[in-house]
Amino acid sequence: MADDLGDEWWKNQPAGAASSPDASDVEAGGDTEVMQQETAPVPAQSKKTKQPKECFLIQPKETKEGATKTKKRKKKKITDILAKSEPKPGTPEDLQKLMKDYYSSSRSVIELEELNLPDSCFLKANDLTHSLSSYLKEICPKWVKLRKNHSEKKSVLMLIICSSAIRTLELIRSMTAFKGDSKVMKLFAKHIKVQEQIKLLEKRVVHLGVGTPGRIKELVKQGGLNLNPLKFLVFDWNWRDQKLRRMMDIPEIRKEVFELLEMGVLSLCKSESLKLGLF
């Protein structure tokens, strides 16, 4: 009876129950799953290690580009160069060299030689120890006599050329001890029209003219200023502005100076009727 009941019980069980895995099989299967979990993430870790390498390769390139940009910004300016150089007095050779450099691209070798000025037309240059008055007294000891004999209008006996209107006023104030009763005229463009200056030169006798090369050049061009009676032409050569530039370091001023020299000044120097000074 018991055997019949047991047979009926087995018959009532599902078909797969008899072949279900035992405990040892379950444990083995569990171990296999654990091993698979441990080894499976290995490829993912290798992918993660590649990412920082790619970023690392990009970084030096960015640093290099940044360094190049900083180098471009640190270009040497004329102010930096002049700040490191010691002040030294100008010489006639400096003016001659500037003239050759300026005209070298537009003139032949023979024409450049014609620009050479004789040493006799140069006055003693300032050795950086003089004030303007003391320098003018040294280069022109007979100024009082020259001034008294000068009666021609639309002309001056002495021209002092500088870089700006402000510098013109400074020079006029600093030459009080030299000028005495001489009539001085400001020759710059700021707040003064050319026609007004021409009228003033026509009305009265002027002994000294102080100003910028651009305005002086314009007065000569329009016939308001005659250079033939001119005896002295002095350049404000050694003075430096806030950017440490001398008058001839400024391209615009340098260009106007050389254009003025070609308007009769060079021929007067060669004939030795005009003397050049570098203050």
Side-chain angles (χ1 to χ4, degrees):
M1 188 77 177
D3 293 338
D4 293 338
L5 289 171
D7 292 338
E8 288 178 2
W9 183 84
W10 282 108
K11 288 176 184 178
N12 293 329
Q13 293 302 316
S19 59
S20 61
D22 55 8
S24 60
D25 292 334
V26 173
E27 289 176 2
D31 292 340
T32 308
E33 290 175 1
V34 171
M35 289 175 67
Q36 288 175 352
Q37 289 175 1
E38 289 177 354
T39 54
V42 173
Q45 288 179 355
S46 62
K47 287 181 182 179
K48 289 181 181 178
T49 53
K50 288 180 182 179
Q51 290 178 358
K53 287 183 180 179
E54 292 176 359
C55 297
F56 182 77
L57 290 173
I58 293 169
Q59 287 177 357
K61 189 177 179 182
E62 291 176 354
T63 314
K64 192 175 180 181
E65 289 175 359
T68 327
K69 288 179 182 177
T70 49
K71 283 180 183 177
K72 287 181 181 178
R73 290 174 188 170
K74 291 182 179 179
K75 286 183 179 178
K76 286 186 178 179
K77 297 180 180 179
I78 190 169
T79 308
D80 301 328
I81 297 168
L82 291 172
K84 294 178 181 178
S85 63
E86 294 182 3
K88 59 180 182 179
T91 62
E93 290 76 18
D94 294 336
L95 178 58
Q96 299 272 37
K97 186 179 181 303
L98 283 175
M99 288 177 65
K100 284 185 178 179
D101 293 342
Y102 181 79
Y103 292 112
S104 59
S105 59
S106 59
R107 300 202 176 190
S108 65
V109 179
I110 298 172
E111 288 173 331
L112 288 174
E113 288 178 359
E114 291 176 356
L115 292 173
N116 289 331
L117 296 172
D119 294 336
S120 57
C121 78
F122 285 97
L123 297 161
K124 184 179 178 182
N126 180 20
D127 58 358
L128 302 181
T129 61
H130 284 284
S131 65
L132 181 58
S133 285
S134 65
Y135 176 70
L136 295 179
K137 283 179 180 179
E138 183 177 354
I139 64 172
C140 185
K142 297 180 180 180
W143 173 252
V144 177
K145 185 178 179 180
L146 282 171
R147 174 176 56 83
K148 287 179 179 178
N149 294 333
H150 178 64
S151 59
E152 191 173 341
K153 296 178 181 178
K154 295 175 66 176
S155 67
V156 293
L157 287 172
M158 181 182 290
L159 269 177
I160 301 174
I161 298 177
C162 57
S163 58
S164 66
I166 295 173
R167 181 59 179 164
T168 298
L169 299 176
E170 290 176 359
L171 290 173
I172 291 173
R173 285 194 294 267
S174 65
M175 63 192 297
T176 307
F178 170 78
K179 68 179 183 180
D181 296 332
S182 304
K183 301 297 180 183
V184 184
M185 187 169 177
K186 298 174 284 188
L187 303 175
F188 52 74
K190 196 172 185 180
H191 308 310
I192 307 174
K193 295 180 180 179
V194 182
Q195 296 303 320
E196 292 177 4
Q197 291 172 334
I198 291 174
K199 287 178 182 178
L200 288 173
L201 287 166
E202 288 173 347
K203 285 180 181 179
R204 62 183 184 181
V205 175
V206 180
H207 306 101
L208 274 160
V210 187
T212 56
R215 176 47 60 93
I216 295 169
K217 185 183 70 174
E218 191 62 30
L219 288 168
V220 175
K221 186 180 178 181
Q222 295 193 24
L225 181 63
N226 179 18
L227 294 178
N228 289 327
L230 187 64
K231 299 300 178 187
F232 301 95
L233 178 64
V234 179
F235 294 105
D236 185 29
W237 192 271
N238 298 305
W239 180 80
R240 296 186 177 191
D241 62 11
Q242 291 180 348
K243 295 182 179 179
L244 302 178
R245 299 174 302 177
R246 294 170 301 178
M247 178 180 73
M248 299 300 275
D249 292 325
I250 305 170
E252 297 81 6
I253 301 295
R254 183 168 62 245
K255 179 177 179 291
E256 289 174 343
V257 165
F258 290 136
E259 288 176 354
L260 175 62
L261 292 180
E262 287 187 283
M263 298 175 73
V265 173
L266 293 176
S267 58
L268 290 172
C269 290
K270 289 179 180 179
S271 65
E272 299 188 358
S273 64
L274 174 63
K275 304 289 185 181
L276 297 178
L278 304 179
F279 170 64

